[in-house]
Amino acid sequence: MRILAAMSGGVDSAVAAARAVDAGHDVVGVHLALSRAGGTLRAGSRGCCTIEDAMDARRAADRLGIPFYVWDFSERFRDDVIEDFVAEYRAGRTPNPCMRCNERIKFAALLERALELGFDAVCTGHYATLVDGVEGLELHRASDNAKDQSYVLGVLTAEQLAHTYFPLGTTPSKALVRAEAEARGLAVAHKPDSHDICFIPDGDTRGWLADRVGAAPGEIVDRSGAVVGAHDGAHAFTVGQRRGLRLGVPAADGKPRFVLEVRPVTNTVVVGPKEALATAEIAGARHTWAGSAPTASEFDCEVQIRAHADPVPARAVVADGLVTVRPDAPLDGVAPGQTAVLYVGPRVLGQFTIDRTVSAVPVG
């Protein structure tokens, strides 16, 4: 096949490209420039997609003997990922920018251009596997559960899966990938994994948002509606947060309180006891299926609400364009804007953005 290898400058994408070459494919490397701040350097393992990463990707491509290009996707990234991130926080939601990047950049914008240029597939260093199922191609978890990235790939559609290539999915551990990179003479063999939000490399999400959303003083209330504090902007709070609440009225039982809800219309933050974070039901309208859609309107599955959370057995109902999931055991600290990925065993069924949550603990 003609393969376009997305090379981030990290060890995973470099080894993935190398394996594509070893498999006999015609491989071309590409690095996505996602920021116009070309002089930015990463700080250790914080951030990614910097000029340093582009240079690391080029060196890896040179080592593999494949053509290499840098494509400027900064405007698309700004519009589809960064602006979406800000808009979601303004709406009182908790977005996942990595999910949006996979959905709208790596497997939409990049894949579209790749197909237009005659490539058969896009290769990435994600840890996930593709399986030929009875009804077509299926997305499955990676062999290494510790590195499994099928959650952040849950946004991929059947058509996109048909043009993807994940060479690392069956690798038992990340240590083996690093050892392979070293044996191949790749300089990124021991480069730290990136973490945090790539466009906020210092990790100060609250400060970054404050600069873009601005101050908007409001009230902090308990579940009964009583005012227990004040804030400078609801965007600075996320469901499940305990620290930094600066409450002026202590709880009657003296126990810590947590953020239960952010209400952007009234600019109000609702707090309450930890047990009130338990969620009995989640629902969302924005959904996709990773392969063939379920044939039944109700089915058993497992639901996962964070990249490294444990899957929880659940019952899903699809009706009137809405996916509703009732877990067998309450989920903890779920916020609108998060992504719920549905599994059956190792297989990813699909995903939806959570619009509504129902607490397992009634008010009163």
Side-chain angles (χ1 to χ4, degrees):
M1 295 190 296
R2 290 196 69 213
I3 298 289
L4 185 67
M7 302 182 71
S8 67
V11 62
D12 293 327
S13 60
V15 172
R19 291 186 181 182
V21 172
D22 287 352
H25 300 301
D26 179 10
V27 182
V28 174
V30 63
H31 178 81
L32 302 185
L34 302 181
S35 171
R36 289 294 175 88
T40 303
L41 292 177
R42 73 161 50 216
S45 60
R46 290 187 180 274
C48 67
C49 314
T50 65
I51 188 66
E52 178 184 314
D53 294 311
M55 292 188 294
D56 286 341
R58 181 177 294 278
R59 281 190 286 266
D62 289 344
R63 180 70 182 177
L64 299 176
I66 61 175
F68 178 80
Y69 300 91
V70 176
W71 288 355
D72 184 358
F73 275 33
S74 58
E75 288 189 12
R76 182 82 180 251
F77 185 76
R78 179 198 63 204
D79 294 342
D80 290 354
V81 179
I82 298 178
E83 294 302 326
D84 174 81
F85 183 80
V86 174
E88 288 289 275
Y89 265 100
R90 279 200 181 105
R93 299 155 66 89
T94 303
N96 185 324
C98 294
M99 216 69 150
R100 295 289 81 78
C101 185
N102 282 334
E103 177 186 28
R104 301 175 184 179
I105 305 298
K106 294 176 183 174
F107 297 97
L110 177 61
L111 181 55
E112 288 167 9
R113 184 177 294 185
L115 295 177
E116 289 172 358
L117 293 174
F119 289 93
D120 299 301
V122 167
C123 166
T124 73
H126 286 100
Y127 288 78
T129 57
L130 295 174
V131 175
D132 287 320
V134 176
E135 298 180 357
L137 204 59
E138 298 175 354
L139 175 64
H140 283 231
R141 292 188 185 275
S143 298
D144 181 5
N145 283 332
K147 292 298 295 181
D148 174 57
Q149 293 175 298
S150 60
Y151 173 87
V152 296
L153 297 171
V155 292
L156 301 189
T157 64
E159 183 177 355
Q160 291 168 331
L161 289 175
H163 298 285
T164 58
Y165 185 42
F166 302 130
L168 304 188
T170 57
T171 307
S173 73
K174 177 65 174 275
L176 292 176
V177 172
R178 291 195 180 279
E180 180 178 334
E182 186 170 24
R184 291 178 180 274
L186 296 170
V188 293
H190 300 289
K191 184 175 180 178
D193 291 338
S194 62
H195 67 268
D196 292 329
I197 300 171
C198 67
F199 50 88
I200 311 177
D202 65 0
D204 183 13
T205 303
R206 178 180 292 192
W208 188 91
L209 283 168
D211 290 340
R212 287 153 181 81
V213 177
E219 296 178 338
I220 301 177
V221 302
D222 63 17
R223 299 184 88 194
S224 71
V227 177
V228 295
H231 64 77
D232 295 326
H235 63 270
F237 298 85
T238 57
V239 171
Q241 179 178 334
R242 173 187 173 186
R243 299 185 183 279
L245 301 185
R246 297 178 299 172
L247 302 179
V249 180
D253 59 7
K255 293 182 179 180
R257 284 179 289 198
F258 298 76
V259 174
L260 304 180
E261 186 181 353
V262 178
R263 298 173 179 170
V265 175
T266 59
N267 193 31
T268 304
V269 176
V270 182
V271 298
K274 182 176 177 59
E275 54 267 25
L277 288 169
T279 302
E281 180 179 295
I282 56 176
R286 293 180 290 171
H287 66 275
T288 58
W289 303 111
S292 56
T295 55
S297 60
E298 293 192 28
F299 52 89
D300 292 325
C301 61
E302 294 87 44
V303 60
Q304 186 171 326
I305 58 168
R306 296 182 185 87
H308 302 293
D310 292 328
V312 176
R315 182 75 174 172
V317 178
V318 182
D320 300 323
L322 188 72
V323 180
T324 302
V325 173
R326 301 181 182 92
D328 290 359
L331 303 172
D332 185 41
V334 185
Q338 286 181 254
T339 301
V341 176
L342 306 183
Y343 291 81
V344 171
R347 181 191 171 189
V348 176
L349 286 182
Q351 61 81 37
F352 64 92
T353 301
I354 299 169
D355 296 321
R356 177 176 59 83
T357 64
V358 177
S359 176
V361 179
V363 178

